[in-house]
Amino acid sequence: MKKIKTAFIYKPSNPYMSKTAWATTYYHFFMNSLKRNARLEITYFPTNESFDTSVLKDKFDIILLWQNTEFGMPKELIGIEELDIPVIADVCDPQDAKNAIKFHKKWKIDHYFHYYPEALFHDLFPKNFKYTSIIFGLEPSLYQNVLPFRDRMKNKILNSGAVGNTKFLSRILNSIRNPKWNSYNYYTLRTKCNDLQYVDYTATLSHEYVGDKYSLLLQKYAGAIAATSVETTIKYWEIPAAGCLTFMEITEKNDGLHTGFIDNETSIFINEKNYEKKFEKFLNDPGNPKWEKIANAGRDYALKNFNNDKAANSLADLMESML
């Protein structure tokens, strides 16, 4: 089988391209799973502020960019517009999309991918930009042999990650500066959950369970919260993959149904009107076997559908379609 010769361009100072980063999901996808894929022959090009792309001419089938902004990328890709090689880029965070549009032509990007649903991508970018949704983020080796559900804490529910600033003045200022993508709007429900006495909150960095150790934190709890109010993030598959009963914010606003999880089968759906009631139903009857059944089904679904090897194969499919 002829492999797809792929040139991956990134900046080595990019914190997400380090195994010691606070979150290693991107590292494992780009640095491990793509290398493992039998259909890809990937060559890594760690660069500084500029990269002369002429060295790629006649040697590669695809150019893969870490992202479609300057974050984690060199500022200049010299000569890329002169190459007859398709360019694929992962997509930046939503709040950076406006700035990223200028790189579409500058870096001759032909196609984009990320775990966003297509509707969200085209809400952020022009309709003529080509996009494929590929959900990645689960490195299989990190989610094997998890602590059994029966041995976990059941009188508390874990809430982890960034939350919004609840100070009145801060909320007003952020809503003016960035009305849609400010932290409080982004994490509205996750932030509200911290007001509940039975919710244990662990911030993004103030603990030892960063990077590859995040699944160890999740395994302490039978129940955990995945709540992002304007989209669905990697936590939506990390948490169930670790064997937690996942209380998952699924609404029309965040288009969470695109993930394929099913309420009361592979997760427990919550929103701003019912989250307390859903939490208390679990906490008042923690020994009910249905909770373990849902948690196990969610774990199986996440590991089967959102593992990095499947995502790498989907990316290889995309590359192949462009040749």
Side-chain angles (χ1 to χ4, degrees):
M1 179 176 62
K2 184 180 178 182
K3 293 189 175 185
I4 303 169
K5 295 181 179 179
T6 305
F8 178 57
I9 300 173
Y10 69 102
K11 213 172 179 181
S13 59
N14 178 353
Y16 292 102
M17 288 293 96
S18 168
K19 193 176 180 181
T20 61
W22 71 268
T24 54
T25 48
Y26 289 92
Y27 173 85
H28 287 301
F29 177 68
F30 285 108
M31 306 303 280
N32 290 338
S33 69
L34 298 187
K35 194 183 300 182
R36 288 195 300 262
N37 191 279
R39 299 164 63 192
L40 301 179
E41 182 181 311
I42 187 159
T43 302
Y44 295 92
F45 289 91
T47 69
N48 292 314
E49 294 304 313
S50 65
F51 176 65
D52 185 353
T53 64
S54 64
V55 300
L56 308 179
K57 188 176 181 179
D58 301 325
K59 297 178 181 178
F60 291 91
D61 302 309
I62 292 284
I63 295 173
L64 178 63
L65 306 182
W66 141 258
Q67 200 175 88
N68 61 330
T69 67
E70 290 178 337
F71 175 76
M73 285 289 295
K75 292 182 179 180
E76 296 291 336
L77 296 177
I78 301 169
I80 195 168
E81 70 280 356
E82 299 173 9
L83 295 180
D84 187 24
I85 305 174
V87 178
I88 298 175
D90 189 22
V91 182
C92 62
D93 289 341
Q95 61 267 29
D96 300 321
K98 187 176 181 180
N99 178 61
I101 290 174
K102 65 185 178 186
F103 294 100
H104 178 77
K105 185 176 181 180
K106 184 178 181 180
W107 290 345
K108 198 177 70 69
I109 300 173
D110 297 287
H111 208 108
Y112 299 85
F113 78 97
H114 199 64
Y115 54 73
Y116 302 146
E118 187 170 351
L120 174 57
F121 175 81
H122 282 122
D123 185 48
L124 299 168
F125 293 96
K127 302 298 181 186
N128 63 316
F129 284 20
K130 296 178 181 178
Y131 175 77
T132 298
S133 181
I134 298 175
I135 298 181
F136 60 88
L138 293 181
E139 185 64 11
S141 64
L142 302 180
Y143 293 89
Q144 303 302 315
N145 305 314
V146 299
L147 189 69
F149 187 87
R150 63 180 178 274
D151 296 332
R152 302 181 182 205
M153 190 187 313
K154 296 184 178 66
N155 63 337
K156 295 281 188 176
I157 297 173
L158 176 67
N159 191 25
S160 59
V163 293
N165 191 326
T166 59
K167 294 181 179 179
F168 178 75
L169 182 58
S170 176
R171 289 177 60 183
I172 294 296
L173 291 174
N174 285 334
S175 66
I176 294 172
R177 293 170 182 166
N178 196 349
K180 185 172 183 180
W181 302 107
N182 68 77
S183 62
Y184 188 85
N185 193 43
Y186 204 81
Y187 301 118
T188 302
L189 181 53
R190 189 191 297 181
T191 303
K192 288 182 176 181
C193 288
N194 285 347
D195 293 333
L196 303 173
Q197 62 179 2
Y198 48 76
V199 168
D200 276 355
Y201 175 59
T202 304
T204 303
L205 297 176
S206 60
H207 59 92
E208 62 181 292
Y209 299 103
V210 295
D212 286 356
K213 296 180 180 180
Y214 181 55
S215 66
L216 300 178
L217 171 65
L218 294 171
Q219 291 174 53
K220 291 176 175 288
Y221 295 83
I225 299 164
T228 314
S229 299
V230 292
E231 62 155 319
T232 50
T233 56
I234 289 176
K235 286 188 183 297
Y236 278 70
W237 34 102
E238 286 179 317
I239 293 172
C244 298
L245 175 68
T246 306
F247 294 94
M248 194 174 285
E249 182 179 15
I250 302 289
T251 65
E252 185 176 340
K253 184 178 179 180
N254 72 7
D255 195 15
L257 287 175
H258 87 278
T259 60
F261 287 98
I262 300 173
D263 191 22
N264 290 312
E265 291 188 22
T266 50
S267 65
I268 303 296
F269 288 1
I270 58 173
N271 56 50
E272 290 183 48
K273 294 181 179 179
N274 67 16
Y275 67 104
E276 291 185 66
K277 185 177 180 180
K278 294 290 185 77
F279 293 160
E280 289 166 3
K281 190 173 182 180
F282 163 66
L283 293 168
N284 291 333
D285 188 19
N288 193 318
K290 74 177 183 180
W291 306 127
E292 182 173 6
K293 183 178 179 181
I294 294 170
N296 289 341
R299 170 174 160 79
D300 291 343
Y301 178 79
L303 288 173
K304 178 182 177 181
N305 291 283
F306 306 138
N307 69 79
N308 281 335
D309 291 318
K310 181 174 181 177
N313 214 40
S314 295
L315 184 56
D317 286 341
L318 172 59
M319 292 177 176
E320 195 171 74
S321 73
M322 298 177 66
L323 299 180

